[in-house]
Amino acid sequence: MHDDRSLVEARLNRVLDERIRPAVYPESVPLEVAVWNAPGEPVPVAEGLAASPGPIAVGDMWGAPWGTSWFRVTGTVPAAWAGKTVEAILDLGFDENMPGFQCEGLVHRPDGTPVKGLNPRNQWVRIGAPVEGGEEVRLHIEAASNPVILDYHPFLPTQLGDKETAGTDPQYTLTRMDLAVFDETVWQLVLDLEVLGELMQELPVEGARRWDILRAVGHALDAIDLQDVNGSAAAARSCLEGVLSTPAGPSAHRISAIGHAHIDSAWLWPLRETVRKVARTTSNMTALLEDEPEFIFTMSQAQQFAWIKEHRPEVYAKVKKAVAQGRFVPAGGMWVESDTNMPGSEAMARQFVHGKRFFLDEFGIENDEAWLPDTFGFAAGLPQIIKAAGCKWLLTQKISWSQTNKFPHHTFQWEGIDGTRIFTHFPPVDTYNCSMRGSEIAHAAKNFKDKGVAKHSLAPTGWGDGGGGTTREMVAKAARLRDLDGSATVRWETPTEFFTKAEAEYPNAPVWVGELYLELHRATLTSQAKTKQGNRRSEHLLREAELWAATAAVRTGFPYPYEELDRIWKTVLLHQFHDILPGSSIAWVHREAEKTYRAVAEELNGIIDGAQRALAGDGSGTLVFNSAPHERHGVAAGGAGVAAVGGSAQLSPREDGGFVLDNGLLQVEIDGRGLVTSAYDIGAERETVAPGRVANLLQIHPDFPNMWDAWDVDAFYRNTVTDLTDADELTPVVAGTSAAVRVVRSFGDSKVTQLLTLPAGAKRLDIDTEVDWHETEKFLKMSFPLDIHAERYASETQFGHFHRATHTNTSWEAAKFEACNHRFVHLEEPGWGIALVNDSTYGHDVTRTVRAADSGTTTTLRVSLLRAPRFPDPETDQGVHRFRHALVPGAAIGDAVREGFRINLPERRVAGDAAVTPLVTVDNDAVVISAVKLADDASGDVVVRLYESRGGRARVGVTAGFDAVEAAATDLLERPSADAPRLELADGAVKLTLRPFQLVTLRLARSRT
């Protein structure tokens, strides 16, 4: 037989494009259109409906950036269309190649009832099926003219990312506003041919199935009358029945499809626009659920449900109804799909506390899965947090974006730092916006790495980020793929149904130990420094507010601010979303975040001040409040008293210029350039700085990644570096009992001022850095070349620390050229170590070289301070920034933990004489209390969260400083843990034995008398 395959395939494409698809709507009449442009920010629906619109016509421009236009469309269904299905086609000027990321609309009836969203691949509204003819049509469209930020030429700097700079020129052309007859038979034919044509392209040419489909498609095309597609569509469909009904083989891959519309809680749009994106999408999805009985939709992020509840209760009512039916599935159990690298221990825990509690309170649903398809890598401390929240599964997809190494599994057990394992799945479809294309389904089956031992994978299906979610076309394709020879099978299933099947078929899934590092988007650890500082400081202010408010409530009857703390936590958690905290959103988002963090700090400082004043009494003395988890200057952890500080530090000139600082524990030499040439541990007789090198060296690199400017730093940035060694000023500073040197440098259009301080009685060098930053596409680092031989180093993560290699033996290690830490990085030889602690930075790199002179190892630790990408915010990080770091020679890992808390939780001095004993104490410094608070149920019980911080076993006594009558181990939601042993409370104390990095939450009941 002659090979006519290419001929038939090309014929299929042209006939579909030019004849069959246009015949889906064979008849149409124009609607009348009028528009009202809302001034400023979006208005309530009632106001938009009541406004008086002016004239506009198809072909006219509309929509200033970030504006809202209310379109009124009216018309009459022709009498001749009686008995037919009629839809309104409402094209606001969509680009169908960009589902999401542009204008969107939400259609309302005249009474304000939402109908459905309008999106590039979803422009229809059903009028009647069938119609009687003569019906009057009146619809209102709330249209958002969001600008296109990520265009066909992506990453170009743009001022469109903030309404203050975006201008007022209209952006979109009103394209079509019609009533049209919908021919369902032709529409079904389109889906038949698309599914078969796409499947055919994925099958082997030498296989019989491909040729069976080709012949059937050829017959169907022969049956089409190109001058009467609507009259011949049924005949063409009959030619395809045989190939569409051939069942899949028993070895076919099994895909669980789940309706999905991943909506970033902010990204290339502000938070206020996400509220409307969610309303449009959920209106679409509740309507589709009513039309498609097998379809199931899932949505994560409790915050997004809360937004609908608050702003669009009529939409929320539909959502709640669909949730009750089991068709609209709240997923993930987190407040938002947060970043997981940078949020601190408590914040990561509270993501689950607030998310799960919302779903329980609103829907009675207990989530078993964490749902994070788009998060930029996963910290090694996360598995035990997931488990402590009562979850057991994790879904993500983003790891497939890694540039260097292909992750070896799609289904596996992920083991965290404490040994907890979580059953985890990466969908091999490699997208969380699956559209049921044949290429996607085939890729999932071919790509699945666990073939032979497992068959199931998940496919999140639908357009996200304003694309409107799953479409009726996707549902129709899934129906054809339910059991189709040559294809993976597709079923609509909930996350629980998928994970239950996947876990059952793969009981011995392979184990991956440690972080799930994304080999991409590494610069998100540094971009938008003020957002990151706001997050870190908010986390620690929340710790203080809970601790002192709880202490004051128990000791003095101070009113515990339950509602205020709940609201503030949710605000902070929202801003940990994976495009806010990572610094990858538009200028508007980060401008608002900075303002929000200032308000959060003001309110929390007010709570702290009120509680501490209630505790301190009215005396004339001065009390030091210590909110850190370790004693400081004689003041107990979580207590207040009179601080005792002894000793002093001396400053003297250095022979070759510069100064020597000495406090009897540490001797630091600073040369005439303001660089640290020596940090000598006097007791250990050990030098910190590598021979011939200088520390506190600021270095600047060009920073122009190949793509994803705010997200990425590519390895080649290291090829060019400028050391900032020239000092404009070097001045000794009198600072009480401390010795300090002030250094000023200028470079480019920027200026750096540093204060290097050696405090009395402490073996550390404090480094306060102020940068007035006005560079573009540059990367600023601070370097510490250390005389230490270490094959690995520790960086703090949630509830512990994680070790990474200092070498690059493998491509996996080489790819980690920029990594995340929380409060500290620690390097150690047996018996001696070094810590570098910080108050607000996350990104760092560690490299090692061997010196030719003495064969010693220089291990260089560099802190990432600032970047200056131009997309999506062209003014990223411009302005003044302040950072605090401390170099701690001779530090063991426990010292790193202690100093990390110290720099983030400064002592507070309050007038008063009433010393405060801690509400809760522990008798082992290896065990850290991460939270002391009153129980969320307002019972008055005290909740204490603690963890083993050094990576070893720990026996610890936990003692209540109040009349505790009962102690229980709980989950993160403060519910009794089913698998926890019963705790004995003796003399107000509980004895625990913790494994390395184990997290424990205790609930201490108070006497009610």
Side-chain angles (χ1 to χ4, degrees):
M1 180 181 292
H2 297 295
D3 186 351
D4 61 347
R5 177 174 49 84
S6 297
L7 192 67
V8 175
E9 291 170 355
R11 181 188 180 195
L12 171 61
N13 290 336
R14 183 175 185 190
V15 172
L16 264 174
D17 282 343
E18 297 185 24
R19 292 292 187 272
I20 303 177
R21 289 192 183 100
V24 171
Y25 293 106
E27 301 177 72
S28 64
V29 296
L31 288 160
E32 293 185 10
V33 191
V35 67
W36 174 72
N37 297 310
E41 285 295 280
V43 300
V45 172
E47 185 175 342
L49 295 175
S52 299
I56 191 172
V58 168
D60 289 350
M61 297 288 291
W62 72 278
W66 306 114
T68 300
S69 297
W70 281 86
F71 292 95
R72 184 186 67 196
V73 294
T74 56
T76 304
V77 177
W81 291 0
K84 297 181 180 181
T85 298
V86 175
E87 295 182 343
I89 309 301
L90 308 172
D91 186 343
L92 300 173
F94 297 122
D95 181 343
E96 291 193 10
N97 295 317
M98 297 178 66
F101 312 109
Q102 53 181 294
C103 62
E104 303 170 47
L106 180 57
V107 179
H108 299 80
R109 302 193 194 284
D111 64 359
T113 303
V115 180
K116 66 185 292 289
L118 295 178
N119 310 95
R121 305 279 181 101
N122 203 336
Q123 304 173 19
W124 58 275
V125 176
R126 180 64 57 86
I127 302 300
V131 296
E132 296 179 358
E135 291 94 336
E136 294 297 321
V137 175
R138 184 185 181 97
L139 298 172
H140 298 263
I141 307 166
E142 181 192 18
S145 51
N146 300 332
V148 176
I149 306 290
L150 193 67
D151 213 333
Y152 286 101
H153 188 167
F155 318 122
L156 289 179
T158 176
Q159 296 295 329
L160 291 171
D162 196 323
K163 64 179 180 178
E164 296 182 355
T165 59
T168 58
D169 292 341
Q171 309 166 92
Y172 296 102
T173 301
L174 199 62
T175 301
R176 186 177 182 186
M177 294 277 148
D178 287 347
L179 285 178
V181 171
F182 175 72
D183 189 327
E184 184 170 357
T185 302
V186 175
W187 182 80
Q188 295 284 5
L189 176 61
V190 169
L191 274 299
D192 290 344
L193 290 171
E194 283 184 354
V195 166
L196 291 170
E198 291 165 3
L199 174 60
M200 189 165 54
Q201 294 292 328
E202 303 301 325
L203 294 171
V205 173
E206 63 274 12
R209 175 62 170 163
R210 180 161 182 165
W211 290 91
D212 288 344
I213 295 173
L214 186 80
R215 293 295 161 234
V217 168
H219 294 321
L221 296 176
D222 290 340
I224 289 287
D225 182 346
L226 298 182
Q227 277 66 53
D228 185 14
V229 173
N230 301 87
S232 55
R237 290 200 72 201
S238 67
C239 297
L240 303 173
E241 290 176 354
V243 290
L244 282 169
S245 61
T246 307
S251 62
H253 185 66
R254 310 285 194 249
I255 292 178
S256 297
I258 183 71
H260 192 240
H262 171 76
I263 301 177
D264 286 318
S265 288
W267 180 27
L268 303 180
W269 48 86
L271 289 166
R272 67 90 155 144
E273 193 55 32
T274 313
V275 176
R276 302 202 296 173
K277 284 178 180 284
V278 174
R280 297 175 200 123
T281 299
T282 52
S283 294
N284 263 354
M285 295 301 92
T286 52
L288 190 62
L289 288 167
E290 292 176 1
D291 294 340
E292 301 290 348
E294 293 189 356
F295 175 57
I296 295 170
F297 181 75
T298 193
M299 189 171 88
S300 68
Q301 306 192 70
Q303 171 69 86
Q304 296 189 358
F305 287 85
W307 276 333
I308 317 172
K309 180 181 180 182
E310 177 183 357
H311 295 282
R312 297 306 301 264
E314 70 281 18
V315 177
Y316 191 64
K318 293 184 177 182
V319 169
K320 287 203 76 169
K321 178 181 177 182
V323 170
Q325 295 169 343
R327 308 276 311 288
F328 194 120
V329 182
M334 296 176 67
W335 191 248
V336 294
E337 290 183 13
S338 72
D339 179 81
T340 75
N341 287 312
M342 291 176 281
S345 303
E346 274 305 307
M348 200 73 255
R350 304 301 174 94
Q351 286 285 352
F352 287 91
V353 169
H354 287 283
K356 292 199 74 169
R357 187 170 288 140
F358 183 92
F359 290 154
L360 282 163
D361 291 346
E362 291 292 315
F363 310 120
I365 287 175
E366 175 89 21
N367 293 94
D368 288 324
E369 76 289 332
W371 188 273
L372 293 163
D374 191 31
T375 297
F376 309 154
F378 299 88
L382 187 57
Q384 75 163 328
I385 298 174
I386 294 174
K387 183 178 180 181
C391 299
K392 55 185 178 181
W393 302 317
L394 169 66
L395 177 130
T396 185
Q397 183 270 323
K398 202 70 170 189
I399 299 298
S400 69
W401 286 40
S402 285
Q403 287 177 316
T404 306
N405 299 285
K406 192 80 170 176
F407 198 80
H409 318 294
H410 281 108
T411 302
F412 61 99
Q413 294 279 358
W414 178 29
E415 182 177 316
I417 56 174
D418 75 314
T420 297
R421 292 180 177 181
I422 296 295
F423 189 79
T424 303
H425 180 67
F426 294 165
V429 70
D430 278 350
T431 178
Y432 42 83
N433 295 304
C434 176
S435 62
M436 285 292 140
R437 291 196 312 271
S439 58
E440 294 171 329
I441 302 305
H443 177 75
K446 295 173 184 176
N447 187 42
F448 188 55
K449 294 189 176 301
D450 303 292
K451 290 186 282 284
V453 288
K455 288 185 177 182
H456 287 83
S457 73
L458 195 78
T461 301
W463 303 118
D465 285 334
T470 317
T471 65
R472 61 184 179 183
E473 287 79 14
M474 297 175 194
V475 176
K477 283 189 170 186
R480 289 159 174 79
L481 296 170
R482 184 176 180 86
D483 192 11
L484 183 62
D485 186 21
S487 171
T489 65
V490 176
R491 302 280 193 284
W492 295 107
E493 293 186 314
T494 66
T496 296
E497 289 170 331
F498 162 74
F499 273 109
T500 299
K501 291 180 180 179
E503 196 169 27
E505 76 173 357
Y506 208 5
N508 297 311
V511 177
W512 181 270
V513 178
E515 67 183 333
L516 296 173
Y517 179 91
L518 177 63
E519 297 171 357
L520 194 73
H521 294 357
R522 303 168 180 90
T524 58
L525 302 173
T526 305
S527 296
Q528 298 286 2
K530 288 183 179 178
T531 299
K532 291 171 170 57
Q533 288 184 331
N535 172 73
R536 177 76 72 84
R537 290 168 185 172
S538 296
E539 289 179 347
H540 289 84
L541 286 170
L542 276 160
R543 172 196 175 91
E544 291 188 82
E546 289 183 337
L547 168 65
W548 300 122
T551 305
V554 172
R555 296 281 165 71
T556 73
F558 179 81
Y560 191 79
Y562 291 102
E563 293 183 2
E564 292 90 339
L565 289 172
D566 180 80
R567 172 176 44 78
I568 295 170
W569 262 118
K570 288 172 179 174
T571 297
V572 173
L573 298 177
L574 166 60
H575 286 79
Q576 291 178 340
F577 179 76
H578 66 254
D579 276 308
I580 303 180
L581 179 54
S584 47
S585 289
I586 56 175
W588 189 347
V589 173
H590 293 289
R591 174 173 55 80
E592 285 193 335
E594 187 176 351
K595 180 180 178 181
T596 297
Y597 284 130
R598 283 198 300 267
V600 163
E602 182 178 0
E603 189 169 4
L604 288 174
N605 277 313
I607 293 171
I608 294 165
D609 182 67
Q612 290 180 339
R613 288 183 183 279
L615 288 163
D618 299 324
S620 60
T622 298
L623 294 174
V624 171
F625 279 76
N626 175 21
S627 56
H630 306 94
E631 179 185 309
R632 289 193 296 195
H633 301 143
V635 180
V642 178
V645 180
S648 63
Q650 308 299 318
L651 182 148
S652 58
R654 185 172 172 269
E655 287 186 7
D656 297 329
F659 300 93
V660 177
L661 313 179
D662 193 325
N663 66 0
L665 300 172
L666 187 65
Q667 184 182 82
V668 177
E669 294 191 30
I670 301 169
D671 71 11
R673 302 168 298 174
L675 302 172
V676 176
T677 61
S678 171
Y680 188 73
D681 181 345
I682 295 172
E685 300 181 343
R686 174 73 184 258
E687 177 58 64
T688 303
V689 181
R693 303 291 296 277
V694 291
N696 186 44
L697 173 64
L698 295 172
Q699 298 179 306
I700 196 164
H701 298 266
D703 185 15
F704 190 65
N706 288 344
M707 57 194 304
W708 298 109
D709 293 33
W711 295 256
D712 284 358
V713 57
D714 290 331
F716 54 72
Y717 89 93
R718 290 179 171 179
N719 297 346
T720 306
V721 61
T722 300
D723 293 344
L724 304 179
T725 58
D726 294 336
D728 303 337
E729 179 186 332
L730 187 70
T731 309
V733 176
V734 176
T737 59
S738 300
V741 175
R742 183 173 182 264
V743 187
V744 180
R745 308 182 195 280
S746 55
F747 58 95
D749 295 320
S750 303
K751 181 179 179 180
V752 176
T753 302
Q754 288 188 304
L755 189 67
L756 280 66
T757 304
L758 185 64
K763 193 161 56 175
R764 70 171 190 271
L765 176 66
D766 292 333
I767 304 169
D768 294 271
T769 304
E770 177 181 287
V771 187
D772 189 4
W773 180 247
H774 298 283
E775 304 305 303
T776 299
E777 294 166 350
K778 295 291 192 295
F779 195 5
L780 182 64
K781 292 234 174 194
M782 185 163 58
S783 176
F784 297 85
L786 306 171
D787 188 12
I788 194 164
H789 177 85
E791 293 183 358
R792 66 178 192 171
Y793 71 96
S795 57
E796 189 183 33
T797 188
Q798 292 97 4
F799 299 112
H801 56 265
F802 176 67
H803 287 102
R804 298 185 185 92
T806 60
H807 56 75
T808 54
N809 280 0
T810 71
S811 59
W812 294 88
E813 291 147 354
K816 295 184 179 183
F817 59 82
E818 185 79 5
C820 183
N821 64 276
H822 287 187
R823 288 168 291 224
F824 70 79
V825 173
H826 181 258
L827 297 103
E828 188 172 27
E829 290 178 5
W832 194 84
I834 307 166
L836 186 69
V837 300
N838 71 84
D839 77 335
S840 59
T841 57
Y842 295 91
H844 69 275
D845 68 85
V846 177
T847 56
R848 67 199 296 268
T849 58
V850 174
R851 303 185 292 269
D854 63 356
S855 297
T857 300
T858 296
T859 303
T860 301
L861 165 61
R862 299 197 308 163
V863 177
S864 302
L865 295 180
L866 290 166
R867 298 183 69 236
R870 300 183 67 207
F871 181 88
D873 175 5
E875 301 298 321
T876 302
D877 280 335
Q878 301 300 296
V880 177
H881 303 269
R882 295 176 180 85
F883 307 97
R884 298 186 67 218
H885 293 83
L887 181 68
V888 190
I893 193 69
D895 300 311
V897 174
R898 179 182 292 102
E899 290 296 327
F901 276 104
R902 177 200 61 78
I903 200 170
N904 283 275
L905 291 165
E907 298 163 331
R908 293 177 182 260
R909 285 170 168 74
V910 179
D913 292 325
V916 180
T917 57
L919 200 58
V920 179
T921 59
V922 294
D923 61 7
N924 186 336
D925 262 3
V927 176
V928 166
I929 293 177
S930 68
V932 176
K933 58 190 289 292
L934 294 193
D936 290 342
D937 61 7
S939 62
D941 292 350
V942 174
V943 171
V944 184
R945 192 142 34 243
L946 49 85
Y947 67 99
E948 196 289 316
S949 67
R950 300 179 185 177
R953 300 273 173 174
R955 290 182 59 81
V956 62
V958 184
T959 301
F962 57 92
D963 186 13
V965 296
E966 187 178 356
T970 73
D971 65 7
L972 294 181
L973 276 71
E974 303 167 8
R975 304 173 299 189
S977 296
D979 56 350
R982 187 174 181 277
L983 299 179
E984 296 292 337
L985 187 67
D987 298 324
V990 173
K991 298 292 185 182
L992 302 173
T993 300
L994 305 183
R995 64 178 182 272
F997 302 127
Q998 184 179 355
L999 157 68
V1000 173
T1001 303
L1002 296 177
R1003 183 170 181 141
L1004 303 173
R1006 294 163 59 197
S1007 172
R1008 300 292 187 261
T1009 59

